[in-house]
Amino acid sequence: MKQTIKRAAVLGSGVMGSSIAAHLANVGIPTLMLDIAPQELKKNEEKNGLTLNDKTVRNRLAAESKKSLLKQKPSPITTKESLDLIEVGNMDDDMEKIADVDWIIEVVVENLEIKKKVFANVEKYRKEGTIVSSNTSGISIEDMAADCSEEFQKHFLGTHFFNPPRYLQLLEVIPTKNTDPEILEFMKEFGEDVLGKGVVEAKDTPNFIANRIGTYGLLVTVQEMLNSGYSVGEVDSVTGPMIGRPKSATFRTLDVVGLDTFIHVAKNVFDQVDGNEKEMFRVPDFMMEMQKNGWIGSKAGQGFYLKKKGDKGSVIYELNPETMEYEDRNKLKTTATEMANQAKGSKNKLKALVKAKGDKAGDLVWSVVKPVLIYSAELLGEIADDIISIDQAMRLGFGWEIGPFEMWDAIGVSKSVERMQAEGDKIPDWVLKHLEKGNETFYQEDNGAIYYYDNGEFKKQTFNKKEINLKRLKDVNGVIKKNKGASLIDLGDGVAGLEFHSQSNAIGPDIMQMVQYAIEEVDKNYAGLVIGNQGKNFCVGANLGMMLFEAQDDNFFELDLVIRQFQNMAMAIKYSNKPVVTAPFNMTLGGGAEVTLPASAVQASQETYLGLVECGVGLIPGGGGTKELYLKMLRNMPQGIDFDLSKVANNVFEQIATANVSTSAEEARENGYLNKQDGISVNPEHLLYDAKQKVLSLAKAGYAAPKREKIPVVGDSGYAAMLLGAKSLQYSGYASDHDLKIAEKLAYVLSGGRITAGSYIDEQTMLDIEREAFLSLIGEPKTQARMQHMLMKGKPLRN
């Protein structure tokens, strides 16, 4: 019988257990979450006359963990409705319920004997064929199940989620020698396709792949800071985005993770290795003192950094490890950092720093990167079978843009090895043999295919068929047409793809021109179009800087043309003869939402933060966004049932006036930006594939362009009601005079102008009103001040 997972159980409801249960619920899997039954009553329980035998007391730990999911930030759940799929209980009374699940995940305390007892209990109740896994971060997977039956061991493996499971894509899957290969393959496929993870197979070794190398790299950096006299802030200023790492760099990462958690992970390796490696995992004394003081990071309010309120706002101070006092934060600014800042891409930035021998920043980067490269090479075969697994684990688990072997390629393998040997470092034999054969890199590209070095030869890297990589696709097929802002690409199977690649994917005239061209080309030669890309965000909106420049120049004729062009682009998307599917992800704001809303259908990434945010910069949507959100909400109303039109208008008014942005694609659906037919992709790597399938499905069903429609509007009475709400906010001190002016313009657009309630207007009339309102607001000095502030500071101005 083919393996399926329709229902799951999570044993342990701590931070990690409850977050895993939340992620399972996010993807639609009903989940039973069990914890131990408490041995003592709380005061409020005693006061209410409860006993240790009451169900509410016995389920308290799991119930409180479920409740806490609503309060956590960032939120582990994509929508409040996800919580309905989580059932709570306790491991004394409810273990028989695990007989009804297909996957049991153990997430109890990191203690081998306790885990073995849990699995002995699981064996009493689980049905044959049920997959069992542990989320341990380092205890031997094989040892845990050593006392279990052969059938249990065949269905047992490690599934190590990274915290927080909703946001971090890495899932390390760790088989034992007894794990059935079919179960292993099923879990890898299930992890990718259903859980949306980047799955890496790891070996049953201390801390597996990412935590082993990541923890080593962090400790190497701490030691370099202590040995060479760098400060915490100086280290962080060059070990973040400048070398392809997250903004949190080294010490801010430790503050976010929690020093207590980090020390536990480091100790796990320290206890299981020996020699020089053991010493590298010894946590420095000052960090142990920090833990003793409770300075464990963000959750304690202080760690390597401390934020204090001053006369001019909050100031962040850094810890001096020698004095254990907090001091002003420092940054490294050298010739090498200037060169790195001017270089494009992580690989070139890293190369610029590493080459700067004798430069303070360059020497620091070389001193922390070099040991990680050597260590990763030493562990090949021990923690993973190939370099791809190591690189992928570090990218997905630690947020590195490039993994260790990709970093090595970037800085030059042979030259860097020469330097390492000159400095007395021992290089793993396999690396030296690789170089002796005349190889210069660990990866090679040829005609869109990637080859990686493996056991003396280059092997072709295979990818999931659902992973469309636009760069590789363009390398092989080229592009149909491109300009500075966008490229039209053949995605195969008769589907074209329009990729934005302007600065921040902001929409300007070049993108508008390419959208119009793409619609025409697809109408003649393709089954449909996907609008999507693989940048940092789908689209952060229209080109704000360009519009501000024109407004300050009083060039309203040019602005009027640009807004008309934007509206025409949106209408071309909406009324295309062939299906157009947008594939938004991450930030999809303002103009990005206005491209998304008129499409034939939307295939959104689960992590899509969608909203019309123009009011935040003193404007209202000008490219048809107000009209399309209103129409989308109208179309989502039940057919054949009378409804209050003013409630729909008020809902749209509130969404836009408050610049509300969804925290997930599911919330975007709740906010009216997506409808029931629109899809959500859990795995971001599969987004373009899923969007392409949606195009093909629409085409196969005989897609026809929608008929132009008249729009029912709320008129004068609706305008007055919306304005009343805005004025009450002003009277309460929550809205400024300029906020009220923006709200008046928005209400005027949504009401269709000063006409009778229940009137019908055509789309162009509403577009004209929308454009006029936009142009009048952009001429306001206070709006221009808001736009300027957003461009300079990256956050809204209240004036």
Side-chain angles (χ1 to χ4, degrees):
M1 187 176 76
K2 190 179 179 184
Q3 201 80 36
T4 58
I5 293 177
K6 294 181 180 176
R7 193 172 159 76
V10 174
L11 308 182
S13 72
V15 172
M16 201 63 201
S18 60
S19 295
I20 291 171
H23 185 66
L24 295 175
N26 288 339
V27 300
I29 298 173
T31 302
L32 174 69
M33 183 169 69
L34 307 180
D35 211 314
I36 58 173
Q39 300 301 305
E40 293 181 4
L41 288 172
K42 282 187 169 183
K43 286 184 180 178
N44 68 311
E45 291 170 337
E46 285 181 351
K47 187 179 176 181
N48 292 329
L50 297 173
T51 72
L52 288 173
N53 293 322
D54 284 301
K55 196 72 174 172
T56 53
V57 175
R58 295 180 71 76
N59 291 349
R60 184 215 307 150
L61 292 179
E64 286 183 347
S65 291
K66 177 180 174 179
K67 195 174 179 181
S68 76
L69 293 170
L70 281 170
K71 301 173 187 174
Q72 291 176 37
K73 290 186 178 180
S75 177
I77 53 174
T78 55
T79 174
K80 289 179 183 177
E81 278 65 37
S82 294
L83 294 180
D84 296 339
L85 291 176
I86 301 176
E87 177 189 352
V88 299
N90 69 82
M91 286 190 266
D92 288 334
D93 305 329
D94 301 306
M95 283 297 279
E96 71 273 5
K97 292 181 180 179
I98 69 172
D100 298 325
V101 307
D102 309 299
W103 180 23
I104 301 162
I105 313 159
E106 170 274 312
V107 203
V108 304
V109 65
E110 289 286 81
N111 178 295
L112 178 59
E113 293 310 311
I114 291 175
K115 288 180 186 289
K116 289 177 85 165
K117 285 179 183 175
V118 168
F119 289 128
N121 199 21
V122 166
E123 273 225 281
K124 296 176 187 175
Y125 299 101
R126 86 178 254 281
K127 65 176 183 286
E128 282 196 5
T130 299
I131 295 170
V132 185
S133 69
S134 172
N135 184 66
T136 182
S137 59
I139 294 176
S140 169
I141 305 295
E142 201 157 302
D143 289 351
M144 285 184 212
D147 301 332
C148 296
S149 68
E150 184 181 336
E151 194 274 340
F152 183 102
Q153 291 187 39
K154 280 176 66 177
H155 292 83
F156 182 69
L157 71 167
T159 51
H160 181 214
F161 288 82
F162 272 63
N163 194 27
R166 173 183 162 185
Y167 301 97
L168 282 184
Q169 213 186 339
L170 179 62
L171 175 65
E172 290 177 322
V173 174
I174 310 101
T176 72
K177 66 174 185 289
N178 300 312
T179 306
D180 186 330
E182 288 187 11
I183 295 297
L184 172 63
E185 287 309 308
F186 168 77
M187 284 305 294
K188 286 162 74 172
E189 186 177 328
F190 177 81
E192 275 199 49
D193 292 350
V194 180
L195 300 180
K197 296 296 178 185
V199 180
V200 173
E201 184 179 336
K203 300 204 172 192
D204 192 5
T205 55
N207 284 15
F208 313 127
I209 301 173
N211 275 343
R212 179 81 168 267
I213 292 173
T215 304
Y216 177 86
L218 287 165
L219 284 168
V220 160
T221 307
V222 174
Q223 290 292 355
E224 180 60 23
M225 176 187 73
L226 296 175
N227 295 338
S228 300
Y230 295 98
S231 76
V232 164
E234 285 177 332
V235 170
D236 271 2
S237 67
V238 295
T239 58
M242 205 173 282
I243 61 169
R245 307 279 173 84
K247 284 182 181 177
S248 53
T250 301
F251 294 104
R252 179 73 185 119
T253 294
L254 289 170
D255 275 355
V256 171
V257 168
L259 191 57
D260 52 342
T261 302
F262 176 78
I263 288 172
H264 170 79
V265 172
K267 187 178 183 299
N268 188 55
V269 183
F270 179 84
D271 290 342
Q272 297 185 64
V273 297
D274 49 35
N276 291 334
E277 186 178 7
K278 189 180 191 75
E279 281 309 301
M280 275 313 307
F281 282 91
R282 187 184 297 279
V283 177
D285 292 341
F286 88 94
M287 291 170 74
M288 300 305 293
E289 188 179 341
M290 286 175 68
Q291 185 183 35
K292 188 178 176 183
N293 293 343
W295 302 352
I296 56 173
S298 302
K299 57 189 173 187
Q302 71 184 98
F304 290 98
Y305 292 101
L306 173 66
K307 184 187 281 189
K308 287 184 181 178
K309 284 189 176 178
D311 297 335
K312 296 180 180 179
S314 296
V315 181
I316 297 173
Y317 297 93
E318 63 178 53
L319 182 72
N320 183 325
E322 291 185 7
T323 65
M324 296 301 282
E325 300 285 337
Y326 288 94
E327 301 175 351
D328 290 338
R329 191 162 48 158
N330 292 313
K331 289 186 178 181
L332 267 182
K333 286 188 178 178
T334 69
T335 303
T337 61
E338 290 299 314
M339 290 174 65
N341 282 326
Q342 290 171 20
K344 287 187 177 181
S346 300
K347 293 181 179 181
N348 290 324
K349 289 180 186 294
L350 176 65
K351 192 173 182 179
L353 284 163
V354 166
K355 280 173 65 179
K357 203 171 180 181
D359 180 279
K360 195 175 180 184
D363 288 346
L364 170 59
V365 169
W366 172 250
S367 297
V368 301
V369 166
K370 176 180 73 169
V372 171
L373 302 184
I374 295 172
Y375 188 61
S376 300
E378 288 173 344
L379 291 177
L380 183 65
E382 179 185 336
I383 63 172
D385 283 329
D386 52 61
I387 64 172
I388 292 172
S389 298
I390 292 175
D391 281 344
Q392 190 176 6
M394 299 316 299
R395 287 198 308 271
L396 299 177
F398 273 71
W400 294 10
E401 284 188 30
I402 45 177
F405 295 98
E406 292 166 319
M407 291 169 73
W408 218 333
D409 277 0
I411 64 174
V413 182
S414 59
K415 285 186 178 179
S416 61
V417 166
E418 282 177 24
R419 183 175 171 185
M420 291 169 184
Q421 289 177 317
E423 292 171 357
D425 295 296
K426 187 177 185 306
I427 312 299
D429 288 341
W430 75 265
V431 175
L432 296 177
K433 288 177 182 174
H434 179 57
L435 290 172
E436 285 169 7
K437 290 182 177 180
N439 297 310
E440 287 291 326
T441 59
F442 295 113
Y443 291 94
Q444 293 179 355
E445 285 192 45
D446 182 38
N447 198 32
I450 297 175
Y451 298 84
Y452 65 98
Y453 182 78
D454 184 60
N455 286 323
E457 60 179 336
F458 279 94
K459 292 182 180 176
K460 187 176 180 179
Q461 185 174 352
T462 56
F463 297 93
N464 189 317
K465 70 172 185 177
K466 296 181 180 179
E467 186 180 329
I468 293 175
N469 183 290
L470 293 180
K471 181 185 178 300
R472 290 199 298 271
L473 200 62
K474 287 187 290 185
D475 286 345
V476 177
N477 298 337
V479 297
I480 301 166
K481 186 175 181 177
K482 69 178 287 188
N483 64 19
K484 223 175 162 185
S487 294
L488 187 62
I489 307 159
D490 189 336
L491 298 180
D493 300 317
V495 178
L498 186 66
E499 175 197 24
F500 296 172
H501 45 63
S502 61
Q503 182 75 29
S504 300
N505 286 342
I507 298 172
D510 45 7
I511 284 181
M512 296 181 211
Q513 290 164 11
M514 280 301 298
V515 170
Q516 293 281 12
Y517 173 82
I519 300 290
E520 292 168 12
E521 177 66 18
V522 165
D523 190 32
K524 288 184 277 188
N525 298 312
Y526 290 87
L529 176 70
V530 171
I531 300 179
N533 64 77
Q534 292 174 326
K536 186 178 178 184
N537 297 297
F538 175 74
C539 175
V540 297
N543 189 328
L544 198 63
M546 180 267 289
M547 290 193 297
L548 177 60
F549 178 79
E550 297 290 357
Q552 288 175 334
D553 250 13
D554 289 331
N555 198 350
F556 290 96
F557 177 76
E558 183 67 31
L559 276 170
D560 183 69
L561 287 176
V562 170
I563 301 306
R564 286 177 189 272
Q565 190 178 0
F566 200 125
Q567 291 181 343
N568 290 339
M569 172 192 71
M571 293 289 273
I573 291 171
K574 181 173 183 176
Y575 292 109
S576 166
N577 292 320
K578 302 290 179 68
V580 178
V581 174
T582 48
F585 62 94
N586 293 352
M587 293 296 183
T588 304
L589 307 176
E594 290 183 297
V595 167
T596 299
L597 284 165
S600 315
V602 181
Q603 183 69 36
S605 171
Q606 180 176 268
E607 298 307 319
T608 299
Y609 317 124
L610 183 60
L612 292 165
V613 296
E614 286 85 354
C615 286
V617 290
L619 297 165
I620 70 162
T626 305
K627 167 184 70 77
E628 283 302 329
L629 183 58
Y630 180 57
L631 281 171
K632 196 141 192 166
M633 286 195 186
L634 284 177
R635 285 194 292 270
N636 285 337
M637 298 304 290
Q639 294 294 312
I641 298 173
D642 287 336
F643 60 87
D644 188 347
L645 192 62
S646 64
K647 284 187 178 179
V648 178
N650 287 339
N651 192 2
V652 176
F653 178 79
E654 187 178 328
Q655 287 288 336
I656 298 174
T658 58
N660 188 31
V661 177
S662 70
T663 60
S664 68
E666 284 292 354
E667 193 175 286
R669 202 192 300 277
E670 291 171 7
N671 293 349
Y673 285 87
L674 303 182
N675 57 35
K676 290 178 183 177
Q677 291 74 40
D678 292 329
I680 296 175
S681 298
V682 181
N683 192 324
E685 301 298 327
H686 298 176
L687 177 60
L688 290 178
Y689 174 87
D690 294 341
K692 177 181 164 182
Q693 298 311 304
K694 190 170 280 290
V695 166
L696 291 170
S697 175
L698 288 168
K700 189 176 179 182
Y703 179 81
K707 290 185 172 67
R708 294 185 182 264
E709 55 197 315
K710 291 278 189 178
I711 306 170
V713 291
V714 291
D716 278 328
S717 58
Y719 172 76
M722 286 182 271
L723 213 53
L724 183 63
K727 283 182 176 176
S728 67
L729 286 174
Q730 185 195 29
Y731 296 147
S732 306
Y734 292 108
S736 68
D737 289 346
H738 194 55
D739 291 328
L740 183 61
K741 182 174 282 189
I742 299 162
E744 285 174 347
K745 298 288 185 183
L746 178 61
Y748 186 78
V749 174
L750 275 167
S751 63
R754 305 304 299 271
I755 58 176
T756 308
S759 298
Y760 282 77
I761 62 174
D762 59 40
E763 284 185 273
Q764 191 57 51
T765 300
M766 191 173 248
L767 284 173
D768 291 341
I769 299 170
E770 190 175 312
R771 188 179 66 258
E772 288 161 11
F774 180 94
L775 290 169
S776 69
L777 283 170
I778 204 170
E780 293 280 344
K782 286 188 176 180
T783 285
Q784 292 178 15
R786 289 189 181 193
M787 294 170 74
Q788 185 82 45
H789 192 269
M790 178 61 75
L791 288 166
M792 299 291 289
K793 305 284 186 181
K795 53 187 178 183
L797 170 70
R798 295 303 304 277
N799 61 356

